Amino acid sequence: MSVLQEIHCSHCGAPIEFNPGEIVATCKYCGFTQVIETGQAFIFEHSMILNKFDTASVETPIREWMKSGFVKPRDLPKSKITEKNLVYLPFWMVPIKATTTYKGVFERITPAVEKEGKIDKEYNWLVLARKATEFPTKEYEVPLEGKIAYDFKRIEGFAKVLNSELQQYDAVEKAKQEIENLHEFLAKEDVDRIIEIKTDFSVGDPVYLHAPVWFVVYQYKSESYKLFLDGATGTVIKGDIPSINVGLF
Ligand SMILES: [Zn+2]
């Protein structure tokens, strides 16, 4: 068990519990979002994505997923769903324009030639604002059509809202790092050896966002498997699949 600490909401005075490491907290009584250390109002845009399921109806997309595809055991839909928890995960969405210029050597032909290139892209880069929460961010695309201003009244009583463990600044740095890695990967598809690479960024205003994700555990032949389901669309973001014993050998 983690040690909960408590502050009082600067807006309504209600107690706000938070865990060590959390930096930005949202009051569950009035929705006010504040920086824990200072009690100051949070100055960035705070949005949320609406969830469409309850604990009963969420079973439908889970069973659909179990039934679909070729790599799953046929009797998978008979699995027992043992856990389904709705969690509003905190993200920083960083609007960022990244321009990478690189110089490298193309060695696949003889003689090798020097080559220059440029990658110019704009992103709404998503950074999970948690350090130890297991979640496949790479596989997740925020369904932005459903984005509204954060409204605590729309948060279901049974749901859990996680606070941010990252400052906006940390999130921007993380986004830059991840984009640099991606662009280096892309450059390496163009040249065999990189001599020089440089990326310039232009960063817009990051948005703090809570998005509904169902953390699901199901049981198949006495083993437990995890899956993550997007509460806005019902799409399975990632799910563990039992391996099929195909009996070929
Ligand atoms: Zn409050």
Side-chain angles (χ1 to χ4, degrees):
M1 276 296 282
S2 50
V3 189
L4 277 176
Q5 290 172 276
E6 206 178 274
I7 49 167
H8 288 273
C9 173
S10 312
H11 185 245
C12 75
I16 296 181
E17 290 180 337
F18 65 96
N19 289 298
E22 293 181 348
I23 286 168
V24 178
T26 301
C27 174
K28 66 177 170 187
Y29 302 100
C30 77
F32 185 71
T33 295
Q34 57 207 299
V35 179
I36 291 170
E37 208 178 21
T38 60
Q40 298 294 306
F42 180 75
I43 51 165
F44 303 98
E45 183 186 337
H46 186 191
S47 299
M48 72 181 290
I49 309 280
L50 294 175
N51 164 63
K52 290 203 183 95
F53 300 91
D54 58 33
T55 45
S57 65
V58 75
E59 294 223 0
T60 308
I62 296 171
R63 302 272 174 213
E64 292 289 319
W65 174 82
M66 286 173 171
K67 266 186 257 172
S68 68
F70 298 103
V71 293
K72 298 184 188 112
R74 271 200 188 166
D75 55 350
L76 193 64
K78 290 190 190 127
S79 305
K80 193 173 167 214
I81 296 167
T82 51
E83 278 179 44
K84 28 188 180 174
N85 297 307
L86 175 59
V87 179
Y88 284 84
L89 285 179
F91 291 95
W92 283 98
M93 202 174 64
V94 185
I96 191 166
K97 194 172 176 301
T99 308
T100 301
T101 47
Y102 59 89
K103 197 193 275 180
V105 186
F106 192 69
E107 292 169 330
R108 273 164 270 184
I109 49 165
T110 320
V113 286
E114 251 189 45
K115 199 175 165 189
E116 284 178 18
K118 188 174 173 183
I119 303 165
D120 214 357
K121 293 208 176 212
E122 270 184 61
Y123 303 99
N124 264 321
W125 200 266
L126 199 63
V127 177
L128 179 63
R130 299 290 294 186
K131 286 175 178 160
T133 305
E134 191 203 335
F135 180 71
T137 310
K138 291 268 175 303
E139 259 105 326
Y140 178 56
E141 242 186 85
V142 185
L144 289 174
E145 319 75 66
K147 182 160 114 24
I148 61 164
Y150 187 81
D151 179 358
F152 74 102
K153 295 190 281 316
R154 308 294 291 265
I155 303 281
E156 299 79 352
F158 60 86
K160 191 171 175 188
V161 180
L162 294 184
N163 289 320
S164 177
E165 292 174 336
L166 290 190
Q167 304 263 23
Q168 174 245 18
Y169 171 83
D170 302 324
V172 170
E173 288 309 302
K174 195 161 180 231
K176 286 181 178 174
Q177 190 60 56
E178 289 175 356
I179 292 169
E180 260 176 7
N181 293 344
L182 171 67
H183 283 195
E184 190 177 326
F185 171 82
L186 294 174
K188 279 180 179 159
E189 296 198 322
D190 188 36
V191 293
D192 298 305
R193 189 159 49 84
I194 291 174
I195 302 169
E196 254 177 58
I197 185 160
K198 186 176 175 293
T199 303
D200 289 311
F201 297 101
S202 149
V203 184
D205 288 332
V207 174
Y208 185 48
L209 178 84
H210 274 102
V213 174
W214 287 85
F215 285 60
V216 177
V217 177
Y218 69 91
Q219 206 173 43
Y220 175 77
K221 294 196 200 295
S222 77
E223 289 279 337
S224 287
Y225 300 88
K226 271 186 265 185
L227 74 84
F228 302 94
L229 183 131
D230 180 342
T233 61
T235 310
V236 170
I237 300 159
K238 193 178 184 182
D240 291 342
I241 302 166
S243 53
I244 314 176
N245 197 346
V246 282
L248 279 177
F249 304 104

mmCIF file of all heavy atoms in Angstrom, residues 221-243:
data_model
loop_
_atom_site.group_PDB
_atom_site.id
_atom_site.type_symbol
_atom_site.label_atom_id
_atom_site.label_comp_id
_atom_site.label_asym_id
_atom_site.label_seq_id
_atom_site.Cartn_x
_atom_site.Cartn_y
_atom_site.Cartn_z
ATOM 1 N N LYS A 221 -8.838 -21.040 -19.049
ATOM 2 C CA LYS A 221 -8.220 -22.281 -18.580
ATOM 3 C C LYS A 221 -7.302 -22.036 -17.379
ATOM 4 O O LYS A 221 -6.115 -22.343 -17.414
ATOM 5 C CB LYS A 221 -7.425 -22.952 -19.721
ATOM 6 C CG LYS A 221 -8.298 -23.446 -20.869
ATOM 7 C CD LYS A 221 -7.488 -24.415 -21.733
ATOM 8 C CE LYS A 221 -8.041 -24.602 -23.120
ATOM 9 N NZ LYS A 221 -9.344 -25.231 -23.236
ATOM 10 N N SER A 222 -7.849 -21.399 -16.376
ATOM 11 C CA SER A 222 -7.203 -21.110 -15.090
ATOM 12 C C SER A 222 -5.972 -20.187 -15.149
ATOM 13 O O SER A 222 -5.300 -19.983 -14.151
ATOM 14 C CB SER A 222 -6.862 -22.396 -14.324
ATOM 15 O OG SER A 222 -5.711 -23.012 -14.862
ATOM 16 N N GLU A 223 -5.701 -19.615 -16.337
ATOM 17 C CA GLU A 223 -4.642 -18.601 -16.410
ATOM 18 C C GLU A 223 -5.294 -17.225 -16.541
ATOM 19 O O GLU A 223 -6.347 -17.099 -17.168
ATOM 20 C CB GLU A 223 -3.771 -18.816 -17.657
ATOM 21 C CG GLU A 223 -2.879 -20.033 -17.615
ATOM 22 C CD GLU A 223 -1.589 -19.796 -16.830
ATOM 23 O OE1 GLU A 223 -1.177 -18.617 -16.694
ATOM 24 O OE2 GLU A 223 -1.010 -20.786 -16.353
ATOM 25 N N SER A 224 -4.632 -16.204 -15.998
ATOM 26 C CA SER A 224 -5.162 -14.846 -16.107
ATOM 27 C C SER A 224 -4.471 -14.060 -17.213
ATOM 28 O O SER A 224 -3.266 -14.186 -17.408
ATOM 29 C CB SER A 224 -4.985 -14.112 -14.785
ATOM 30 O OG SER A 224 -5.901 -14.622 -13.855
ATOM 31 N N TYR A 225 -5.259 -13.261 -17.941
ATOM 32 C CA TYR A 225 -4.738 -12.439 -19.025
ATOM 33 C C TYR A 225 -5.277 -11.029 -18.885
ATOM 34 O O TYR A 225 -6.403 -10.837 -18.439
ATOM 35 C CB TYR A 225 -5.149 -13.018 -20.381
ATOM 36 C CG TYR A 225 -4.641 -14.415 -20.594
ATOM 37 C CD1 TYR A 225 -5.388 -15.527 -20.166
ATOM 38 C CD2 TYR A 225 -3.404 -14.637 -21.193
ATOM 39 C CE1 TYR A 225 -4.912 -16.816 -20.328
ATOM 40 C CE2 TYR A 225 -2.920 -15.928 -21.369
ATOM 41 C CZ TYR A 225 -3.670 -17.006 -20.935
ATOM 42 O OH TYR A 225 -3.192 -18.277 -21.102
ATOM 43 N N LYS A 226 -4.460 -10.056 -19.329
ATOM 44 C CA LYS A 226 -4.843 -8.658 -19.196
ATOM 45 C C LYS A 226 -5.269 -8.072 -20.523
ATOM 46 O O LYS A 226 -4.748 -8.452 -21.569
ATOM 47 C CB LYS A 226 -3.627 -7.852 -18.738
ATOM 48 C CG LYS A 226 -3.498 -7.790 -17.230
ATOM 49 C CD LYS A 226 -2.377 -6.859 -16.850
ATOM 50 C CE LYS A 226 -1.109 -7.646 -16.639
ATOM 51 N NZ LYS A 226 0.011 -6.887 -16.151
ATOM 52 N N LEU A 227 -6.194 -7.160 -20.461
ATOM 53 C CA LEU A 227 -6.432 -6.352 -21.650
ATOM 54 C C LEU A 227 -6.821 -4.931 -21.288
ATOM 55 O O LEU A 227 -7.341 -4.667 -20.221
ATOM 56 C CB LEU A 227 -7.408 -7.020 -22.626
ATOM 57 C CG LEU A 227 -8.891 -7.125 -22.416
ATOM 58 C CD1 LEU A 227 -9.585 -5.859 -22.862
ATOM 59 C CD2 LEU A 227 -9.409 -8.279 -23.263
ATOM 60 N N PHE A 228 -6.535 -4.022 -22.223
ATOM 61 C CA PHE A 228 -6.845 -2.609 -22.059
ATOM 62 C C PHE A 228 -7.864 -2.231 -23.113
ATOM 63 O O PHE A 228 -7.645 -2.479 -24.297
ATOM 64 C CB PHE A 228 -5.595 -1.746 -22.261
ATOM 65 C CG PHE A 228 -4.465 -2.077 -21.327
ATOM 66 C CD1 PHE A 228 -3.470 -2.964 -21.704
ATOM 67 C CD2 PHE A 228 -4.397 -1.502 -20.065
ATOM 68 C CE1 PHE A 228 -2.415 -3.267 -20.848
ATOM 69 C CE2 PHE A 228 -3.348 -1.797 -19.205
ATOM 70 C CZ PHE A 228 -2.363 -2.687 -19.592
ATOM 71 N N LEU A 229 -8.958 -1.634 -22.675
ATOM 72 C CA LEU A 229 -10.011 -1.277 -23.608
ATOM 73 C C LEU A 229 -10.285 0.226 -23.534
ATOM 74 O O LEU A 229 -10.393 0.792 -22.451
ATOM 75 C CB LEU A 229 -11.274 -2.087 -23.277
ATOM 76 C CG LEU A 229 -12.459 -1.882 -24.199
ATOM 77 C CD1 LEU A 229 -13.025 -3.222 -24.660
ATOM 78 C CD2 LEU A 229 -13.558 -1.073 -23.540
ATOM 79 N N ASP A 230 -10.382 0.829 -24.704
ATOM 80 C CA ASP A 230 -10.663 2.258 -24.806
ATOM 81 C C ASP A 230 -12.145 2.494 -24.463
ATOM 82 O O ASP A 230 -13.027 2.035 -25.171
ATOM 83 C CB ASP A 230 -10.356 2.686 -26.243
ATOM 84 C CG ASP A 230 -10.600 4.158 -26.490
ATOM 85 O OD1 ASP A 230 -11.317 4.794 -25.688
ATOM 86 O OD2 ASP A 230 -10.083 4.661 -27.491
ATOM 87 N N GLY A 231 -12.398 3.209 -23.378
ATOM 88 C CA GLY A 231 -13.759 3.430 -22.904
ATOM 89 C C GLY A 231 -14.576 4.352 -23.804
ATOM 90 O O GLY A 231 -15.796 4.417 -23.699
ATOM 91 N N ALA A 232 -13.917 5.075 -24.688
ATOM 92 C CA ALA A 232 -14.642 5.984 -25.582
ATOM 93 C C ALA A 232 -15.139 5.259 -26.817
ATOM 94 O O ALA A 232 -16.209 5.556 -27.336
ATOM 95 C CB ALA A 232 -13.748 7.152 -25.994
ATOM 96 N N THR A 233 -14.360 4.289 -27.290
ATOM 97 C CA THR A 233 -14.697 3.624 -28.556
ATOM 98 C C THR A 233 -15.021 2.135 -28.406
ATOM 99 O O THR A 233 -15.600 1.539 -29.302
ATOM 100 C CB THR A 233 -13.511 3.715 -29.543
ATOM 101 O OG1 THR A 233 -12.391 3.048 -28.941
ATOM 102 C CG2 THR A 233 -13.131 5.166 -29.830
ATOM 103 N N GLY A 234 -14.630 1.533 -27.298
ATOM 104 C CA GLY A 234 -14.823 0.096 -27.134
ATOM 105 C C GLY A 234 -13.748 -0.725 -27.841
ATOM 106 O O GLY A 234 -13.827 -1.948 -27.891
ATOM 107 N N THR A 235 -12.743 -0.053 -28.363
ATOM 108 C CA THR A 235 -11.652 -0.757 -29.030
ATOM 109 C C THR A 235 -10.692 -1.352 -28.008
ATOM 110 O O THR A 235 -10.347 -0.687 -27.027
ATOM 111 C CB THR A 235 -10.839 0.234 -29.906
ATOM 112 O OG1 THR A 235 -11.743 0.955 -30.717
ATOM 113 C CG2 THR A 235 -9.826 -0.485 -30.775
ATOM 114 N N VAL A 236 -10.282 -2.585 -28.249
ATOM 115 C CA VAL A 236 -9.251 -3.157 -27.388
ATOM 116 C C VAL A 236 -7.908 -2.574 -27.824
ATOM 117 O O VAL A 236 -7.492 -2.718 -28.963
ATOM 118 C CB VAL A 236 -9.246 -4.700 -27.462
ATOM 119 C CG1 VAL A 236 -8.020 -5.275 -26.754
ATOM 120 C CG2 VAL A 236 -10.516 -5.240 -26.806
ATOM 121 N N ILE A 237 -7.268 -1.862 -26.914
ATOM 122 C CA ILE A 237 -5.998 -1.204 -27.222
ATOM 123 C C ILE A 237 -4.912 -2.265 -27.314
ATOM 124 O O ILE A 237 -4.098 -2.279 -28.219
ATOM 125 C CB ILE A 237 -5.658 -0.166 -26.139
ATOM 126 C CG1 ILE A 237 -6.759 0.901 -26.064
ATOM 127 C CG2 ILE A 237 -4.294 0.474 -26.392
ATOM 128 C CD1 ILE A 237 -6.813 1.654 -24.757
ATOM 129 N N LYS A 238 -4.911 -3.155 -26.352
ATOM 130 C CA LYS A 238 -3.980 -4.266 -26.363
ATOM 131 C C LYS A 238 -4.528 -5.354 -25.452
ATOM 132 O O LYS A 238 -5.026 -5.054 -24.381
ATOM 133 C CB LYS A 238 -2.618 -3.798 -25.857
ATOM 134 C CG LYS A 238 -1.513 -4.791 -26.118
ATOM 135 C CD LYS A 238 -0.182 -4.269 -25.656
ATOM 136 C CE LYS A 238 0.911 -5.253 -26.022
ATOM 137 N NZ LYS A 238 2.215 -4.804 -25.555
ATOM 138 N N GLY A 239 -4.428 -6.578 -25.886
ATOM 139 C CA GLY A 239 -4.914 -7.656 -25.051
ATOM 140 C C GLY A 239 -3.988 -8.860 -25.124
ATOM 141 O O GLY A 239 -3.478 -9.186 -26.194
ATOM 142 N N ASP A 240 -3.747 -9.471 -23.995
ATOM 143 C CA ASP A 240 -2.966 -10.708 -23.991
ATOM 144 C C ASP A 240 -3.839 -11.822 -24.537
ATOM 145 O O ASP A 240 -5.017 -11.921 -24.198
ATOM 146 C CB ASP A 240 -2.547 -11.077 -22.563
ATOM 147 C CG ASP A 240 -1.514 -10.106 -22.015
ATOM 148 O OD1 ASP A 240 -0.887 -9.400 -22.823
ATOM 149 O OD2 ASP A 240 -1.355 -10.066 -20.781
ATOM 150 N N ILE A 241 -3.238 -12.653 -25.373
ATOM 151 C CA ILE A 241 -3.977 -13.760 -25.982
ATOM 152 C C ILE A 241 -3.304 -15.074 -25.588
ATOM 153 O O ILE A 241 -2.089 -15.199 -25.737
ATOM 154 C CB ILE A 241 -3.973 -13.620 -27.524
ATOM 155 C CG1 ILE A 241 -4.587 -12.280 -27.934
ATOM 156 C CG2 ILE A 241 -4.702 -14.782 -28.177
ATOM 157 C CD1 ILE A 241 -4.317 -11.911 -29.387
ATOM 158 N N PRO A 242 -4.083 -16.033 -25.096
ATOM 159 C CA PRO A 242 -3.484 -17.340 -24.788
ATOM 160 C C PRO A 242 -2.943 -17.961 -26.076
ATOM 161 O O PRO A 242 -3.543 -17.806 -27.131
ATOM 162 C CB PRO A 242 -4.670 -18.157 -24.265
ATOM 163 C CG PRO A 242 -5.763 -17.201 -24.018
ATOM 164 C CD PRO A 242 -5.527 -15.992 -24.877
ATOM 165 N N SER A 243 -1.821 -18.639 -25.985
ATOM 166 C CA SER A 243 -1.295 -19.241 -27.212
ATOM 167 C C SER A 243 -2.124 -20.474 -27.551
ATOM 168 O O SER A 243 -2.626 -21.176 -26.676
ATOM 169 C CB SER A 243 0.176 -19.595 -27.044
ATOM 170 O OG SER A 243 0.321 -20.376 -25.881
#
